[in-house]
Amino acid sequence: MKVRLKMKTLYQSHLALKNKEVSSLELTRECLKNAKSSDHNTYISLLEDTALKEAANVDINISQNGIQSYVEGIPYSLKDLFITEGVRTTAGSKMLYNYIPPYDGFISKAFKNAGSVLIGKTNLDEFGMGSTNEHSVFGSVKNPLNVKKISGGSSGGSAASIAENSSYFSVGSDTGGSARLPANFCGLVALKPSYGRVSRYGQIAYASSLDQASPMAQSVLDLACVMENITVKDDLDETNLNLGAMKIVNELLALDESYLKGKKIGLSENLVESCDDDVKRELIKALAHLKKMGSELVTISLPHLKESIATYYLIATSEASSNLARYSGIHFGFKSHSNSESHQSSSQDSRSFGFGEEVKKRLLFGTFALSSGFHEAYYKKASQVRRIIAEDFLLAFLKCDFIFSPVSSSVASDIGAIDSDPMKLYMNDLYTVPASLTGLPALSIPFGKGQHDLPTGFQLIGKPYQDSELLKIGHSFELSTGRNVL
Amino acid sequence: MTLKMNQEFLLQLADLAMLKIAPEELDHYQKCMEQFLELVQSLEKIQTENVVPLYNLSREMIEQDSSSRHYRQDAIKNSISLIDVLKNAPEVKMNQFKVKALMEIGQENLHEGTT
């Protein structure tokens, strides 16, 4: 039996903590109870002892100094791709099965400083490579809404932790849809921030020009609470931009549903039509609702959208082949005890036994795309098409305020169903990779139910660096539907 | 159209990627590579002459906006201790990472090296 959390959302819990109706220790105990009774394979490391200690300490701090931020005292989970000092960080890989980082990354430090309580490190597709969470050396994550279904990936454990009520929010990462897809399959919200908005320091790299830490939660307002804490400029990531910390929660609280009035929603032809019937039906309903709230539908043209998948897989695998070159079984991580005579052969053995099949496939392809004689035709070509796709979006934004798109063409599939067809796995990312390639902020919002009573939803893509505007639109949409508000 | 990648070339790629492919895995990885090639084939028809590649959006932004540019001071600062650095190493000898010999120097007792 799952214990029902007293408060459903992060923001509700914050208010309850502030009003001394509940303690962080009580919230933490409930989350831990739910985590321990879960059979969704959500966590790689559950941190019961330290979580209870942290919660007790934060309760003392709150009683002495009052509550300092929205996330103080709130139990949360972290994708096991973010390094945590003294706490094993695996990236879902045998390669890092015993790796204990000697320092904190930007994300874990930000929440440690804020007094959030880390419940555990969540399961993921190995190194973030996958969209179903079936490619973790620790096994697949089950969807808490229907255990026969995938949770989505690669931040599947993060989504499951919120859906099973063992955390109030999670920080996942999104390289080509890895936070938006699992949020969509588990009935949650996720924001992939603009590239450069959140520091990547201490985030184990998959594809450096695409990776972004991405909050996942029950409501858009909750996402805003999390974003306030992770948008401080960090000099330790050279691609982190000086955009100023987002102070957005009060703005959201002052909004009502009339904020949607007069907003222009860009809709690319054939995008909604390409989805399964149940998803299509709900997307059309969502559009009708936005129209009813006074938004205006505008047809836009994104002529190279279908090339996004090819562009994405060339760029992501190329960058991965470079990023993952550091795993050699010498400085840290898995070392094969084969009888190889040479240094090179020993490293090759460590990598061949340490990486899973999906990772090795991507490393081989990325190596090919970067190799002498093929670099121009593949990696450089993809980077040029990436520019063309980005320019298409900028042109489209001359006509609209934000772009409406599916997150996935279908609801969560059966565990094992997609895995048998690798091309289907890659096509899963069709609607999510464009925002990654162009660095645009994108918000995944649940709306309606499809087959097997599983959640459906849609995605809003914002103008460059307009993450705050996107959250405002998302929040007023939730206000207008009465879902998960306050 | 099915694109082909021969197994000899695949083994060269594996070597570059510091991976080994067992003989019984060759057909499987060959098929995967061919599927990947087919997936990315659609880019061929896109006209990209004179298009400047987009490698990293932030780097472009930083080039345009000097307030985002930050250079660390060239100063000595505390780092992680040697003990902490070596804690995760699979094999350590004399406070150094232990590796197989990188070169033969003709002495029988020097089969191990350190970096």
Side-chain angles (χ1 to χ4, degrees):
Chain A
M1 257 300 268
K2 292 277 165 293
V3 179
R4 195 178 163 77
L5 291 171
K6 288 180 179 118
M7 280 63 56
K8 204 180 173 200
T9 69
L10 184 171
Y11 186 73
Q12 287 169 344
S13 309
H14 162 71
L15 288 183
L17 280 169
K18 195 175 169 185
N19 298 331
K20 306 200 184 328
E21 292 159 11
V22 74
S23 68
S24 175
L25 198 56
E26 284 174 281
L27 294 175
T28 302
R29 280 198 183 118
E30 286 192 61
C31 285
L32 286 167
K33 208 179 277 180
N34 289 340
K36 286 198 291 187
S37 64
S38 142
D39 55 1
H40 308 128
N41 203 15
T42 304
Y43 291 94
I44 291 173
S45 304
L46 191 64
L47 306 168
E48 186 172 8
D49 293 346
T50 52
L52 290 171
K53 270 182 213 153
E54 283 172 20
N57 284 337
V58 81
D59 278 333
I60 296 170
N61 272 342
I62 292 174
S63 70
Q64 287 175 349
N65 309 314
I67 202 153
Q68 304 293 319
S69 75
Y70 297 108
V71 293
E72 187 173 9
I74 307 289
Y76 81 108
S77 69
L78 196 52
K79 185 178 188 175
D80 207 18
L81 195 78
F82 294 96
I83 63 165
T84 38
E85 184 179 350
V87 175
R88 182 170 76 130
T89 303
T90 68
S93 180
K94 183 176 174 181
M95 184 55 90
L96 291 174
Y97 75 106
N98 61 354
Y99 177 60
I100 299 177
Y103 62 99
D104 270 320
F106 173 81
I107 296 290
S108 50
K109 200 167 206 167
F111 290 108
K112 210 178 252 185
N113 289 344
S116 305
V117 178
L118 181 59
I119 294 291
K121 306 288 298 287
T122 55
N123 204 345
L124 67 152
D125 283 304
E126 189 175 355
F127 286 99
M129 299 183 191
S131 50
T132 63
N133 221 136
E134 293 169 291
H135 300 100
S136 163
V137 76
F138 300 95
S140 305
V141 176
K142 294 173 188 167
N143 191 323
L145 305 177
N146 180 336
V147 292
K148 286 184 181 152
K149 306 289 176 183
I150 56 164
S151 60
S154 62
S155 312
S158 287
S161 76
I162 307 164
E164 72 182 18
N165 290 337
S166 66
S167 75
Y168 281 95
F169 71 93
S170 189
V171 181
S173 67
D174 194 311
T175 304
S178 280
R180 287 166 284 162
L181 278 166
N184 180 61
F185 291 149
C186 295
L188 305 165
V189 289
L191 173 72
K192 183 203 81 70
S194 301
Y195 182 80
R197 174 66 85 174
V198 181
S199 170
R200 291 182 296 110
Y201 179 68
Q203 176 178 343
I204 295 174
Y206 161 20
S208 309
S209 79
L210 300 158
D211 295 342
Q212 268 293 278
S214 301
M216 303 161 79
Q218 294 278 9
S219 74
V220 176
L221 184 62
D222 286 2
L223 294 179
C225 294
V226 179
M227 285 303 281
E228 287 207 357
N229 203 46
I230 57 172
T231 44
V232 183
K233 168 90 173 87
D234 180 23
D235 291 336
L236 296 173
D237 169 9
E238 62 152 346
T239 58
N240 184 228
L241 298 170
N242 194 12
L243 298 167
M246 280 170 70
K247 288 289 169 205
I248 180 79
V249 176
N250 281 335
E251 279 186 60
L252 256 57
L253 289 171
L255 285 183
D256 63 28
E257 56 199 50
S258 66
Y259 193 72
L260 294 169
K261 208 173 170 185
K263 297 286 178 206
K264 288 184 181 156
I265 312 168
L267 195 58
S268 177
E269 276 178 330
N270 301 326
L271 215 52
V272 171
E273 287 71 17
S274 59
C275 295
D276 289 356
D277 285 345
D278 55 337
V279 175
K280 199 193 315 179
R281 183 190 67 220
E282 297 306 318
L283 291 172
I284 290 169
K285 272 194 215 165
L287 282 167
H289 180 79
L290 282 162
K291 218 170 156 185
K292 198 176 108 196
M293 299 317 298
S295 299
E296 187 189 332
L297 295 186
V298 182
T299 304
I300 53 162
S301 168
L302 296 167
H304 300 92
L305 214 53
K306 59 182 179 303
E307 275 77 39
S308 297
I309 286 280
T311 307
Y312 170 78
Y313 275 98
L314 276 165
I315 290 170
T317 58
S318 296
E319 293 185 8
S321 76
S322 168
N323 278 324
L324 272 64
R326 73 193 67 181
Y327 303 103
S328 60
I330 296 171
H331 303 102
F332 52 85
F334 173 78
K335 182 186 172 82
S336 163
H337 292 288
S338 65
N339 296 321
S340 294
E341 298 249 314
S342 72
H343 169 68
Q344 164 130 348
S345 180
S346 164
S347 283
Q348 284 178 333
D349 282 334
S350 298
R351 290 167 63 80
S352 302
F353 293 115
F355 290 135
E357 189 199 316
E358 186 58 38
V359 173
K360 285 192 274 189
K361 266 166 31 182
R362 295 189 194 204
L363 293 184
L364 283 169
F365 195 69
T367 303
F368 164 73
L370 288 179
S371 63
S372 171
F374 297 99
H375 170 274
E376 290 260 330
Y378 289 95
Y379 177 64
K380 188 180 171 194
K381 177 88 183 182
S383 302
Q384 288 172 309
V385 178
R386 184 180 190 179
R387 168 91 56 196
I388 292 172
I389 294 169
E391 284 172 357
D392 284 349
F393 270 89
L394 291 181
L395 269 180
F397 277 128
L398 294 176
K399 288 171 73 179
C400 62
D401 299 310
F402 56 93
I403 292 168
F404 181 97
S405 148
V407 187
S408 167
S409 62
S410 61
V411 294
S413 52
D414 286 338
I415 290 174
I418 295 182
D419 205 26
S420 54
D421 182 353
M423 288 306 111
K424 230 176 174 179
L425 174 75
Y426 303 140
M427 293 313 284
N428 233 10
D429 301 340
L430 178 65
Y431 305 103
T432 48
V433 294
S436 301
L437 288 169
T438 52
L440 294 166
L443 178 64
S444 165
I445 301 181
F447 181 83
K449 291 274 169 72
Q451 267 189 59
H452 313 293
D453 210 28
L454 288 164
T456 51
F458 61 92
Q459 177 184 209
L460 298 176
I461 302 171
K463 289 182 176 178
Y465 307 108
Q466 293 203 357
D467 307 58
S468 296
E469 175 65 11
L470 202 52
L471 291 177
K472 283 188 201 171
I473 289 168
H475 178 62
S476 59
F477 180 84
E478 287 195 330
L479 282 173
S480 73
T481 59
R483 184 196 165 270
N484 271 340
V485 180
L486 306 182
Chain B
M1 193 181 102
T2 313
L3 293 157
K4 291 282 171 208
M5 178 174 280
N6 74 49
Q7 296 195 344
E8 196 185 332
F9 180 61
L10 181 58
L11 287 170
Q12 281 175 23
L13 277 182
D15 209 46
L16 279 174
M18 292 288 279
L19 292 169
K20 284 180 183 171
I21 301 178
E24 65 274 15
E25 296 174 321
L26 260 176
D27 285 346
H28 173 66
Y29 280 106
Q30 182 184 18
K31 194 177 155 213
C32 295
M33 286 305 103
E34 287 172 352
Q35 282 174 328
F36 257 126
L37 278 174
E38 210 167 314
L39 179 79
V40 303
Q41 205 189 355
S42 63
L43 297 193
E44 276 175 27
K45 62 178 191 297
I46 312 269
Q47 181 56 254
T48 52
E49 216 180 276
N50 299 324
V51 176
V52 180
L54 173 53
Y55 293 121
N56 189 302
L57 260 170
S58 282
R59 294 225 170 90
E60 292 191 4
M61 288 283 291
I62 289 163
E63 273 167 31
Q64 290 161 18
D65 168 26
S66 59
S67 75
S68 287
R69 207 175 300 149
H70 176 82
Y71 298 107
R72 272 196 290 253
Q73 278 193 333
D74 187 14
I76 297 168
K77 58 173 188 162
N78 288 334
S79 190
I80 299 163
S81 74
L82 182 65
I83 295 167
D84 282 339
V85 167
L86 293 174
K87 263 184 194 163
N88 280 293
E91 285 186 89
V92 174
K93 191 175 176 182
M94 294 161 69
N95 273 343
Q96 294 174 80
F97 298 108
K98 187 177 162 193
V99 295
K100 300 261 182 199
L102 287 165
M103 54 186 113
E104 295 294 327
I105 54 172
Q107 290 178 33
E108 278 180 12
N109 60 344
L110 269 178
H111 283 304
E112 289 175 346
T114 52
T115 62

